[in-house]
């Protein structure tokens, strides 16, 4: 219930207008967001890299309904790919289709995506297409496959959400195609007709999909993370849930998959202890580093994931 209300608020313009005016909102949000400038993001990545952790950079922004904003976001992501190269840090980028024009037109979005992928390919870097809520699932997979066919197989990956019933079949097909997949639980409100309503169902499905992904990695030749850390292996397990991580590690051992033929992914500011522990154990770890001024919806989704974050936020509100 609380989660649903917060996810509703993450999209409500009126709530955004109120909350972003409070300076303490940013104080709390800055736990999850590297900063508002490119430089802040690069510094955060350099810090992670010094601990043996790779990154994927997210220029915050979503649900863009204006052509100029979609073009500006595309340009910013291209610039960041160049900046990552110049700064010699180990990071790819993550993009949301609703940030680069999918709400305006599919062909415009495809064109913007292609520009980003072309730059990434030129720089031997990697782009992950984030998965947004279910109205975008089909078109995201469609554009992803179109990019694979267009020659970007080693440049682009996609995200699958364990809370959707359809995901098991999607992943089976993606493994036949040798696609690079990040698995996460899913961060939006979805109806019970299409998604597991209970956490236990999501967790069980997550483990089931982990098996398919790891078997798929083995069948696809155990492709390892690239030596420079930029191109990820086939499975990326995106969670902070220790039980899911332990399950993954056990299954990796059981089937004899090499540690560097998968990677764990986590969000900036969450379970740093676990990020460092896994990296020390020899697993590739990649942290999702968001930056930019459009932090409101991302931040409120992080509040929705953990009630303790909301209490922390409310305590700050009282102290302000
Ligand atoms: C790298 C990465 C990329 C992602 N990309 C997408 C995407 O493209 N599309 C999408 O829908 N979702 C995405 N997500 C979000 C994901 O779907 C979940 O909402 C989020 O990861 C929380 O789920 P969990 O697996 O950590 O498990 P949970 O069961 O929610 O949490 C397990 C434990 O992790 C810690 N934790 C989790 N969330 C928080 C938090 N906000 N604050 C503090 N501690 C926390 C707590 O200790 C908690 O007990 C991504 C997540 C990661 C890690």
């Amino acid at each position: 219930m609380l989660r649903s209300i917060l996810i509703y608020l993450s999209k409500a313009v009126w709530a955004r207008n109120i909350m972003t005016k409070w300076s303490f909102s940013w104080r709390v949000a800055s736990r999850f967001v590297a900063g508002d400038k490119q430089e802040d993001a690069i510094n955060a990545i350099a810090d992670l890299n010094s601990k043996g952790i790779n990154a994927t950079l997210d220029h915050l922004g979503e649900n863009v309904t204006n052509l100029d904003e979609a073009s500006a976001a595309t340009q910013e992501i291209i610039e960041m790919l160049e900046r990552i190269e110049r700064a010699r840090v180990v990071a790819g980028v993550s993009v949301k289709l609703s940030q680069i024009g999918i709400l305006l037109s599919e062909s415009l979005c495809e064109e913007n995506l292609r520009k980003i992928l072309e730059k990434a390919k030129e720089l031997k870097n990697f782009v992950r297409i984030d998965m947004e809520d279910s109205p975008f699932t089909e078109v995201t997979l469609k554009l992803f496959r179109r990019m694979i066919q267009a020659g970007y197989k080693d440049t682009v990956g996609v995200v699958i959400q364990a809370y959707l019933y359809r995901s098991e079949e999607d992943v089976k097909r993606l493994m036949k195609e040798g696609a690079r997949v990040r698995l996460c639980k899913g961060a939006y409100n979805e109806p019970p007709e299409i998604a597991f309503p209970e956490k236990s169902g999501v967790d069980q499905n997550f483990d089931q999909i982990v098996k398919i992904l790891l078997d798929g990695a083995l069948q696809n030749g155990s492709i390892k993370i690239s030596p420079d850390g930029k191109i990820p292996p086939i499975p990326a397990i995106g969670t902070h849930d220790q039980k899911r991580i332990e399950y993954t590690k056990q299954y990796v051992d059981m089937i004899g998959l090499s540690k560097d033929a998968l990677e764990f992914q986590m969000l900036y500011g969450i379970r740093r202890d676990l990020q460092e522990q896994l990296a020390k154990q020899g697993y590739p770890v990649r942290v999702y580093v968001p930056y930019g001024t459009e932090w409101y919806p991302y931040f409120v989704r992080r509040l929705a994931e953990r009630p303790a974050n909301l209490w922390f936020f409310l305590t700050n509100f009282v102290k302000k």
Side-chain angles (χ1 to χ4, degrees):
M1 176 69 172
L2 184 60
R3 180 178 182 275
S4 301
I5 295 171
L6 283 164
I7 291 175
Y8 157 74
L9 289 177
S10 74
K11 291 194 169 196
V13 177
W14 64 267
R16 176 200 186 105
N17 289 342
I18 297 173
M19 266 173 74
T20 51
K21 281 201 186 83
W22 297 331
S23 62
F24 78 91
S25 296
W26 167 247
R27 272 209 312 275
V28 182
S30 63
R31 175 188 159 188
F32 304 107
V33 177
D36 55 7
K37 295 186 287 300
Q38 290 186 354
E39 197 182 325
D40 300 325
I42 295 290
N43 289 340
I45 295 170
D47 186 46
L48 288 164
N49 288 173
S50 72
K51 296 174 182 134
I53 295 172
N54 304 323
T56 179
L57 191 62
D58 170 39
H59 168 54
L60 289 162
E62 51 199 84
N63 294 321
V64 165
T65 50
N66 167 308
L67 200 83
D68 292 342
E69 282 179 34
S71 302
T74 305
Q75 199 46 44
E76 169 84 14
I77 296 165
I78 290 172
E79 263 176 43
M80 273 319 255
L81 282 163
E82 286 166 343
R83 190 145 183 188
I84 285 168
E85 185 70 14
R86 281 201 307 278
R88 294 169 190 257
V89 288
V90 186
V93 295
S94 288
V95 302
K96 287 187 173 51
L97 294 188
S98 80
Q99 182 182 23
I100 57 168
I102 197 67
L103 291 171
L104 293 158
S105 100
E106 192 179 308
S107 60
L108 169 90
C109 182
E110 181 174 347
E111 197 185 313
N112 285 339
L113 182 60
R114 206 180 277 262
K115 283 183 195 160
I116 294 169
L117 292 186
E118 197 46 43
K119 178 52 76 178
K121 191 174 183 180
E122 177 195 319
L123 297 172
K124 299 191 173 59
N125 208 327
F126 189 79
V127 178
R128 179 81 61 181
I129 307 174
D130 284 346
M131 189 59 84
E132 300 177 71
D133 35 2
S134 56
F136 297 103
T137 312
E138 203 54 47
V139 72
T140 303
L141 289 169
K142 182 163 106 183
L143 286 190
F144 168 69
R145 289 199 166 96
R146 220 176 268 163
M147 294 301 118
I148 296 272
Q149 280 151 16
Y152 298 107
K153 190 166 181 204
D154 294 327
T155 311
V156 66
V158 75
V159 178
I160 289 291
Q161 296 153 322
Y163 63 16
L164 294 183
Y165 302 137
R166 60 174 286 166
S167 290
E168 182 173 342
E169 287 312 310
D170 282 336
V171 166
K172 283 181 181 160
R173 190 172 155 201
L174 288 163
M175 286 304 95
K176 284 194 190 125
E177 295 160 344
R180 287 172 167 82
V181 174
R182 172 202 295 153
L183 175 64
C184 65
K185 290 191 186 180
Y188 300 86
N189 267 343
E190 298 295 354
E193 293 74 40
I194 63 164
F196 292 93
E198 304 291 335
K199 179 176 160 48
S200 57
V202 179
D203 288 349
Q204 226 174 11
N205 202 40
F206 193 98
D207 291 349
Q208 172 63 15
I209 296 176
V210 162
K211 276 203 279 190
I212 301 169
L213 278 175
L214 299 177
D215 288 338
L218 204 62
Q219 279 147 20
N220 278 287
S222 303
I223 298 169
K224 295 183 174 177
I225 185 170
S226 64
D228 65 5
K230 285 188 179 160
I231 316 285
I234 284 183
I237 311 301
T239 184
H240 318 88
D241 184 338
Q242 214 140 357
K243 287 197 181 132
R244 311 285 73 76
I245 291 171
E246 283 312 314
Y247 180 86
T248 305
K249 285 159 72 176
Q250 279 171 19
Y251 199 75
V252 165
D253 286 347
M254 200 183 95
I255 63 172
L257 186 71
S258 157
K259 278 182 180 174
D260 46 7
L262 80 154
E263 69 180 18
F264 288 106
Q265 295 196 355
M266 294 188 210
L267 300 177
Y268 180 79
I270 301 182
R271 294 302 312 263
R272 291 190 172 123
D273 55 334
L274 197 51
Q275 297 168 12
E276 290 181 29
Q277 199 187 87
L278 286 166
K280 281 190 188 133
Q281 288 168 358
Y283 293 97
V285 178
R286 191 175 306 274
V287 167
Y288 186 101
V289 179
Y291 80 99
T293 52
E294 299 298 310
W295 48 265
Y296 173 77
Y298 179 87
F299 167 56
V300 179
R301 287 200 294 275
R302 302 296 76 83
L303 291 183
E305 280 157 3
R306 199 166 177 244
N309 292 343
L310 185 64
W311 295 125
F312 181 62
F313 179 72
L314 293 174
T315 320
N316 269 266
F317 177 71
V318 174
K319 284 193 210 143
K320 88 179 155 75

